[in-house]
Short mmCIF file of all heavy atoms in Angstrom, two decimals:
data_model
loop_
_atom_site.label_atom_id
_atom_site.label_comp_id
_atom_site.label_asym_id
_atom_site.label_seq_id
_atom_site.Cartn_x
_atom_site.Cartn_y
_atom_site.Cartn_z
N ARG Z 215 -2.12 4.23 -13.68
CA ARG Z 215 -1.71 4.88 -12.45
C ARG Z 215 -2.88 4.87 -11.49
O ARG Z 215 -3.95 5.42 -11.78
CB ARG Z 215 -1.22 6.29 -12.65
CG ARG Z 215 -0.56 6.86 -11.38
CD ARG Z 215 0.08 8.20 -11.60
NE ARG Z 215 -0.86 9.30 -11.41
CZ ARG Z 215 -0.60 10.41 -10.74
NH1 ARG Z 215 0.60 10.57 -10.19
NH2 ARG Z 215 -1.50 11.36 -10.65
N LEU Z 216 -2.67 4.25 -10.34
CA LEU Z 216 -3.68 4.22 -9.29
C LEU Z 216 -3.41 5.34 -8.31
O LEU Z 216 -2.28 5.66 -8.00
CB LEU Z 216 -3.66 2.87 -8.56
CG LEU Z 216 -3.78 1.62 -9.40
CD1 LEU Z 216 -3.82 0.38 -8.49
CD2 LEU Z 216 -5.02 1.66 -10.28
N SER Z 217 -4.49 5.89 -7.78
CA SER Z 217 -4.41 6.92 -6.76
C SER Z 217 -5.30 6.53 -5.59
O SER Z 217 -6.33 5.88 -5.77
CB SER Z 217 -4.84 8.30 -7.28
OG SER Z 217 -4.03 8.72 -8.34
N CYS Z 218 -4.91 6.93 -4.41
CA CYS Z 218 -5.70 6.68 -3.22
C CYS Z 218 -5.59 7.86 -2.28
O CYS Z 218 -4.47 8.25 -1.92
CB CYS Z 218 -5.23 5.41 -2.52
SG CYS Z 218 -6.03 5.07 -0.93
N VAL Z 219 -6.70 8.41 -1.90
CA VAL Z 219 -6.78 9.54 -0.99
C VAL Z 219 -7.40 9.12 0.32
O VAL Z 219 -8.50 8.56 0.34
CB VAL Z 219 -7.57 10.70 -1.61
CG1 VAL Z 219 -7.58 11.89 -0.65
CG2 VAL Z 219 -6.98 11.11 -2.95
N ALA Z 220 -6.72 9.38 1.41
CA ALA Z 220 -7.23 9.11 2.74
C ALA Z 220 -7.84 10.36 3.33
O ALA Z 220 -7.29 11.45 3.22
CB ALA Z 220 -6.11 8.58 3.64
N SER Z 221 -8.97 10.18 3.99
CA SER Z 221 -9.62 11.31 4.64
C SER Z 221 -10.31 10.82 5.91
O SER Z 221 -10.55 9.63 6.08
CB SER Z 221 -10.65 11.97 3.71
OG SER Z 221 -11.66 11.07 3.34
N GLY Z 222 -10.64 11.75 6.78
CA GLY Z 222 -11.31 11.40 8.01
C GLY Z 222 -10.48 11.80 9.23
O GLY Z 222 -9.79 12.81 9.22
N ASN Z 223 -10.58 10.97 10.26
CA ASN Z 223 -9.89 11.23 11.52
C ASN Z 223 -8.43 10.82 11.39
O ASN Z 223 -8.05 9.71 11.79
CB ASN Z 223 -10.58 10.51 12.67
CG ASN Z 223 -9.92 10.76 14.00
OD1 ASN Z 223 -9.27 11.78 14.19
ND2 ASN Z 223 -10.08 9.82 14.93
N ILE Z 224 -7.63 11.71 10.86
CA ILE Z 224 -6.22 11.41 10.60
C ILE Z 224 -5.35 12.44 11.28
O ILE Z 224 -5.42 13.63 10.97
CB ILE Z 224 -5.93 11.42 9.09
CG1 ILE Z 224 -6.75 10.36 8.36
CG2 ILE Z 224 -4.43 11.19 8.84
CD1 ILE Z 224 -6.67 10.44 6.87
N PHE Z 225 -4.53 11.95 12.20
CA PHE Z 225 -3.47 12.78 12.75
C PHE Z 225 -2.22 12.66 11.89
O PHE Z 225 -1.58 13.66 11.55
CB PHE Z 225 -3.19 12.40 14.21
CG PHE Z 225 -2.11 13.24 14.84
CD1 PHE Z 225 -2.37 14.51 15.32
CD2 PHE Z 225 -0.80 12.77 14.94
CE1 PHE Z 225 -1.40 15.28 15.89
CE2 PHE Z 225 0.20 13.54 15.51
CZ PHE Z 225 -0.11 14.80 15.98
N SER Z 226 -1.89 11.44 11.54
CA SER Z 226 -0.79 11.18 10.64
C SER Z 226 -0.97 9.80 10.04
O SER Z 226 -1.74 8.98 10.55
CB SER Z 226 0.57 11.29 11.35
OG SER Z 226 0.70 10.30 12.35
N ILE Z 227 -0.26 9.54 8.97
CA ILE Z 227 -0.28 8.24 8.32
C ILE Z 227 1.14 7.68 8.33
O ILE Z 227 2.07 8.35 7.86
CB ILE Z 227 -0.81 8.31 6.88
CG1 ILE Z 227 -2.23 8.90 6.86
CG2 ILE Z 227 -0.80 6.92 6.24
CD1 ILE Z 227 -2.79 9.07 5.47
N ASN Z 228 1.27 6.48 8.84
CA ASN Z 228 2.56 5.82 8.83
C ASN Z 228 2.74 5.13 7.48
O ASN Z 228 2.82 5.81 6.44
CB ASN Z 228 2.67 4.84 10.00
CG ASN Z 228 4.07 4.30 10.17
OD1 ASN Z 228 5.05 4.91 9.74
ND2 ASN Z 228 4.18 3.15 10.79
N ALA Z 229 2.77 3.83 7.45
CA ALA Z 229 2.90 3.14 6.18
C ALA Z 229 1.65 3.32 5.33
O ALA Z 229 0.52 3.42 5.83
CB ALA Z 229 3.15 1.65 6.41
N MET Z 230 1.84 3.37 4.03
CA MET Z 230 0.77 3.51 3.08
C MET Z 230 1.17 2.77 1.83
O MET Z 230 2.35 2.74 1.48
CB MET Z 230 0.52 4.99 2.78
CG MET Z 230 -0.82 5.32 2.19
SD MET Z 230 -1.08 7.11 2.12
CE MET Z 230 -2.82 7.17 1.71
N GLY Z 231 0.20 2.16 1.16
CA GLY Z 231 0.58 1.46 -0.05
C GLY Z 231 -0.53 0.68 -0.66
O GLY Z 231 -1.72 1.05 -0.54
N TRP Z 232 -0.16 -0.41 -1.34
CA TRP Z 232 -1.07 -1.16 -2.16
C TRP Z 232 -0.91 -2.65 -1.97
O TRP Z 232 0.22 -3.16 -1.88
CB TRP Z 232 -0.87 -0.84 -3.65
CG TRP Z 232 -1.11 0.61 -3.96
CD1 TRP Z 232 -0.21 1.62 -3.94
CD2 TRP Z 232 -2.36 1.17 -4.33
NE1 TRP Z 232 -0.82 2.81 -4.27
CE2 TRP Z 232 -2.14 2.56 -4.51
CE3 TRP Z 232 -3.65 0.67 -4.52
CZ2 TRP Z 232 -3.15 3.44 -4.89
CZ3 TRP Z 232 -4.66 1.54 -4.89
CH2 TRP Z 232 -4.42 2.91 -5.08
N TYR Z 233 -2.02 -3.35 -1.91
CA TYR Z 233 -2.09 -4.78 -1.96
C TYR Z 233 -2.97 -5.18 -3.12
O TYR Z 233 -3.67 -4.35 -3.68
CB TYR Z 233 -2.68 -5.35 -0.65
CG TYR Z 233 -1.76 -5.25 0.55
CD1 TYR Z 233 -1.40 -4.02 1.08
CD2 TYR Z 233 -1.27 -6.40 1.15
CE1 TYR Z 233 -0.56 -3.93 2.18
CE2 TYR Z 233 -0.44 -6.33 2.26
CZ TYR Z 233 -0.09 -5.09 2.77
OH TYR Z 233 0.73 -5.01 3.87
N ARG Z 234 -2.89 -6.45 -3.49
CA ARG Z 234 -3.74 -6.93 -4.58
C ARG Z 234 -4.18 -8.35 -4.31
O ARG Z 234 -3.51 -9.11 -3.61
CB ARG Z 234 -3.04 -6.82 -5.93
CG ARG Z 234 -1.85 -7.75 -6.11
CD ARG Z 234 -1.14 -7.46 -7.42
NE ARG Z 234 0.00 -8.33 -7.64
CZ ARG Z 234 0.86 -8.20 -8.64
NH1 ARG Z 234 0.70 -7.24 -9.54
NH2 ARG Z 234 1.88 -9.06 -8.76
N GLN Z 235 -5.32 -8.67 -4.87
CA GLN Z 235 -5.89 -10.00 -4.70
C GLN Z 235 -6.36 -10.49 -6.07
O GLN Z 235 -7.31 -9.92 -6.64
CB GLN Z 235 -7.04 -10.01 -3.70
CG GLN Z 235 -7.56 -11.40 -3.37
CD GLN Z 235 -8.48 -11.39 -2.17
OE1 GLN Z 235 -8.98 -10.35 -1.77
NE2 GLN Z 235 -8.68 -12.54 -1.58
N ALA Z 236 -5.69 -11.49 -6.57
CA ALA Z 236 -6.06 -12.10 -7.84
C ALA Z 236 -7.10 -13.20 -7.60
O ALA Z 236 -7.23 -13.72 -6.50
CB ALA Z 236 -4.83 -12.68 -8.52
N PRO Z 237 -7.83 -13.58 -8.65
CA PRO Z 237 -8.83 -14.63 -8.47
C PRO Z 237 -8.24 -15.90 -7.89
O PRO Z 237 -7.21 -16.40 -8.37
CB PRO Z 237 -9.34 -14.85 -9.90
CG PRO Z 237 -9.10 -13.56 -10.58
CD PRO Z 237 -7.82 -13.03 -10.01
N GLY Z 238 -8.87 -16.41 -6.85
CA GLY Z 238 -8.43 -17.63 -6.23
C GLY Z 238 -7.19 -17.53 -5.37
O GLY Z 238 -6.67 -18.56 -4.94
N ARG Z 239 -6.72 -16.32 -5.11
CA ARG Z 239 -5.50 -16.14 -4.36
C ARG Z 239 -5.75 -15.25 -3.15
O ARG Z 239 -6.77 -14.57 -3.04
CB ARG Z 239 -4.41 -15.52 -5.23
CG ARG Z 239 -4.02 -16.39 -6.42
CD ARG Z 239 -2.88 -15.78 -7.19
NE ARG Z 239 -2.51 -16.57 -8.34
CZ ARG Z 239 -1.52 -16.26 -9.18
NH1 ARG Z 239 -0.80 -15.17 -8.99
NH2 ARG Z 239 -1.27 -17.05 -10.21
N GLU Z 240 -4.78 -15.26 -2.24
CA GLU Z 240 -4.84 -14.41 -1.07
C GLU Z 240 -4.43 -12.98 -1.43
O GLU Z 240 -3.81 -12.73 -2.48
CB GLU Z 240 -3.90 -14.94 0.02
CG GLU Z 240 -4.29 -16.32 0.53
CD GLU Z 240 -5.61 -16.31 1.25
OE1 GLU Z 240 -5.87 -15.34 2.01
OE2 GLU Z 240 -6.39 -17.25 1.09
N ARG Z 241 -4.80 -12.06 -0.57
CA ARG Z 241 -4.39 -10.68 -0.76
C ARG Z 241 -2.91 -10.53 -0.40
O ARG Z 241 -2.49 -10.88 0.69
CB ARG Z 241 -5.24 -9.75 0.12
CG ARG Z 241 -5.00 -8.27 -0.13
CD ARG Z 241 -5.89 -7.40 0.71
NE ARG Z 241 -7.30 -7.61 0.41
CZ ARG Z 241 -8.30 -6.91 0.94
NH1 ARG Z 241 -8.03 -5.93 1.80
NH2 ARG Z 241 -9.54 -7.18 0.61
N ASP Z 242 -2.14 -10.01 -1.33
CA ASP Z 242 -0.69 -9.92 -1.16
C ASP Z 242 -0.22 -8.49 -1.29
O ASP Z 242 -0.79 -7.68 -2.02
CB ASP Z 242 0.04 -10.77 -2.22
CG ASP Z 242 -0.20 -12.25 -2.06
OD1 ASP Z 242 -0.32 -12.72 -0.92
OD2 ASP Z 242 -0.28 -12.96 -3.10
N LEU Z 243 0.86 -8.19 -0.60
CA LEU Z 243 1.49 -6.88 -0.68
C LEU Z 243 2.04 -6.64 -2.07
O LEU Z 243 2.67 -7.51 -2.66
CB LEU Z 243 2.60 -6.76 0.36
CG LEU Z 243 3.33 -5.42 0.45
CD1 LEU Z 243 3.76 -5.16 1.89
CD2 LEU Z 243 4.57 -5.42 -0.45
N VAL Z 244 1.81 -5.44 -2.59
CA VAL Z 244 2.43 -5.00 -3.83
C VAL Z 244 3.56 -4.02 -3.52
O VAL Z 244 4.70 -4.21 -3.95
CB VAL Z 244 1.41 -4.35 -4.77
CG1 VAL Z 244 2.10 -3.85 -6.04
CG2 VAL Z 244 0.30 -5.33 -5.12
N ALA Z 245 3.24 -2.97 -2.80
CA ALA Z 245 4.23 -1.95 -2.46
C ALA Z 245 3.73 -1.16 -1.27
O ALA Z 245 2.55 -0.86 -1.16
CB ALA Z 245 4.48 -1.01 -3.64
N VAL Z 246 4.66 -0.84 -0.38
CA VAL Z 246 4.36 0.04 0.73
C VAL Z 246 5.44 1.09 0.84
O VAL Z 246 6.58 0.86 0.46
CB VAL Z 246 4.22 -0.72 2.09
CG1 VAL Z 246 2.99 -1.60 2.09
CG2 VAL Z 246 5.48 -1.52 2.38
N ILE Z 247 5.07 2.23 1.38
CA ILE Z 247 5.98 3.35 1.48
C ILE Z 247 5.74 4.07 2.80
O ILE Z 247 4.60 4.27 3.22
CB ILE Z 247 5.84 4.31 0.28
CG1 ILE Z 247 6.84 5.46 0.35
CG2 ILE Z 247 4.41 4.81 0.14
CD1 ILE Z 247 6.91 6.28 -0.94
N THR Z 248 6.82 4.44 3.46
CA THR Z 248 6.74 5.17 4.72
C THR Z 248 6.74 6.66 4.44
O THR Z 248 7.01 7.12 3.33
CB THR Z 248 7.92 4.83 5.62
OG1 THR Z 248 9.12 5.40 5.10
CG2 THR Z 248 8.10 3.31 5.76
N PRO Z 249 6.44 7.47 5.47
CA PRO Z 249 6.46 8.92 5.26
C PRO Z 249 7.82 9.45 4.81
O PRO Z 249 7.87 10.45 4.10
CB PRO Z 249 6.09 9.48 6.64
CG PRO Z 249 5.27 8.40 7.26
CD PRO Z 249 5.89 7.12 6.79
N SER Z 250 8.90 8.78 5.20
CA SER Z 250 10.23 9.21 4.83
C SER Z 250 10.69 8.68 3.48
O SER Z 250 11.79 9.01 3.02
CB SER Z 250 11.25 8.81 5.89
OG SER Z 250 11.30 7.41 6.04
N GLY Z 251 9.87 7.83 2.85
CA GLY Z 251 10.19 7.35 1.53
C GLY Z 251 10.81 5.98 1.45
O GLY Z 251 11.24 5.56 0.36
N MET Z 252 10.87 5.24 2.55
CA MET Z 252 11.33 3.85 2.49
C MET Z 252 10.26 3.00 1.84
O MET Z 252 9.08 3.11 2.17
CB MET Z 252 11.66 3.34 3.88
CG MET Z 252 12.81 4.07 4.55
SD MET Z 252 13.14 3.46 6.21
CE MET Z 252 13.56 1.75 5.88
N ILE Z 253 10.66 2.13 0.93
CA ILE Z 253 9.73 1.39 0.09
C ILE Z 253 10.06 -0.09 0.10
O ILE Z 253 11.23 -0.50 0.07
CB ILE Z 253 9.79 1.92 -1.36
CG1 ILE Z 253 9.30 3.37 -1.42
CG2 ILE Z 253 8.94 1.04 -2.27
CD1 ILE Z 253 9.55 4.03 -2.75
N ASN Z 254 9.02 -0.90 0.12
CA ASN Z 254 9.12 -2.32 -0.13
C ASN Z 254 8.21 -2.68 -1.30
O ASN Z 254 7.05 -2.28 -1.33
CB ASN Z 254 8.71 -3.15 1.10
CG ASN Z 254 9.75 -3.13 2.18
OD1 ASN Z 254 10.93 -3.01 1.93
ND2 ASN Z 254 9.30 -3.30 3.43
N TYR Z 255 8.75 -3.45 -2.25
CA TYR Z 255 7.99 -3.97 -3.35
C TYR Z 255 8.02 -5.49 -3.31
O TYR Z 255 9.02 -6.10 -2.93
CB TYR Z 255 8.57 -3.57 -4.71
CG TYR Z 255 8.52 -2.11 -5.05
CD1 TYR Z 255 9.66 -1.33 -4.99
CD2 TYR Z 255 7.34 -1.52 -5.50
CE1 TYR Z 255 9.63 0.01 -5.35
CE2 TYR Z 255 7.30 -0.19 -5.87
CZ TYR Z 255 8.45 0.57 -5.79
OH TYR Z 255 8.43 1.89 -6.15
N VAL Z 256 6.95 -6.10 -3.79
CA VAL Z 256 7.02 -7.51 -4.08
C VAL Z 256 7.94 -7.70 -5.29
O VAL Z 256 7.99 -6.85 -6.19
CB VAL Z 256 5.61 -8.10 -4.34
CG1 VAL Z 256 4.98 -7.49 -5.60
CG2 VAL Z 256 5.66 -9.60 -4.41
N ASP Z 257 8.70 -8.79 -5.29
CA ASP Z 257 9.72 -8.96 -6.31
C ASP Z 257 9.15 -8.90 -7.72
O ASP Z 257 9.81 -8.39 -8.64
CB ASP Z 257 10.44 -10.29 -6.11
CG ASP Z 257 11.42 -10.26 -4.95
OD1 ASP Z 257 11.75 -9.18 -4.46
OD2 ASP Z 257 11.85 -11.36 -4.53
#
């Protein structure tokens, strides 16, 4: 389980999520989630 905490000059956060970069590959979306709970996952 990965966790990520945002801090600093934050009024609000829109989309939030995770990307990953494997050796020799580009950084790709893993999952994103909106404040209301809408989610996109890589297949």
Side-chain angles (χ1 to χ4, degrees):
R215 190 173 87 136
L216 306 183
S217 299
C218 174
V219 180
S221 61
N223 181 25
I224 299 171
F225 181 80
S226 63
I227 302 177
N228 189 23
M230 199 172 191
W232 299 90
Y233 288 66
R234 67 187 180 186
Q235 187 167 18
R239 299 183 181 181
E240 297 294 320
R241 187 178 298 185
D242 294 324
L243 182 147
V244 178
V246 292
I247 182 169
T248 71
S250 62
M252 296 178 61
I253 296 170
N254 285 331
Y255 294 105
V256 65
D257 285 345

